[in-house]
Amino acid sequence: MSTLTKPNHIGRKISRIRELRDMKQEALAQALGTNQQTISAIENSETIDEEKLKAIAEALGVSVEGIKNFSEEAILNNIQNNYEGSVVHSGPTVNHNCSFNPLDKVVELYERLVQAEKDKVAYLEKLLKGK
């Protein structure tokens, strides 16, 4: 067998999809009206009949084709290509376009704080003169 061809082990695909959906074997068993040992046997099977596969696909919330064509590489490529919307990152440099200059915001905040202190001093001086 060539290293380029991988067996189409449907049970492993079901197991991996179940794990990615954060579902335990017991939960899948309950959804299918069976027990955990049966799910374990299914996940160790290389092939599964179509009716059982349809029921499993429905319980997992995916299509039968989704299970049959599942590959971790495709999932990773999809995640990488869709990270932060539809922006494709080609290296360590990521440009974030701000709609404002952060330094302007710092200066604005500083000026407001200085003005608040001036107002406080003026208020206290006014109180002291009134006595």
Side-chain angles (χ1 to χ4, degrees), residues 56-122:
I56 292 169
E58 186 176 324
L60 290 173
V62 297
S63 67
V64 172
E65 292 78 25
I67 293 175
K68 289 180 178 179
N69 298 325
F70 176 81
S71 82
E72 298 243 2
E73 293 83 16
I75 297 293
L76 291 173
N77 285 336
N78 192 356
I79 290 169
Q80 288 173 342
N81 290 337
N82 290 310
Y83 179 68
E84 283 192 22
S86 60
V87 178
V88 177
H89 299 290
S90 59
T93 303
V94 178
N95 293 326
H96 295 284
N97 296 324
C98 292
S99 59
F100 61 89
N101 183 348
L103 290 177
D104 289 344
K105 294 293 181 183
V106 171
V107 170
E108 181 183 321
L109 177 61
Y110 178 77
E111 288 172 347
R112 285 194 328 210
L113 288 170
V114 168
Q115 186 59 46
E117 287 299 313
K118 285 180 182 177
D119 293 345
K120 195 185 313 178
V121 167

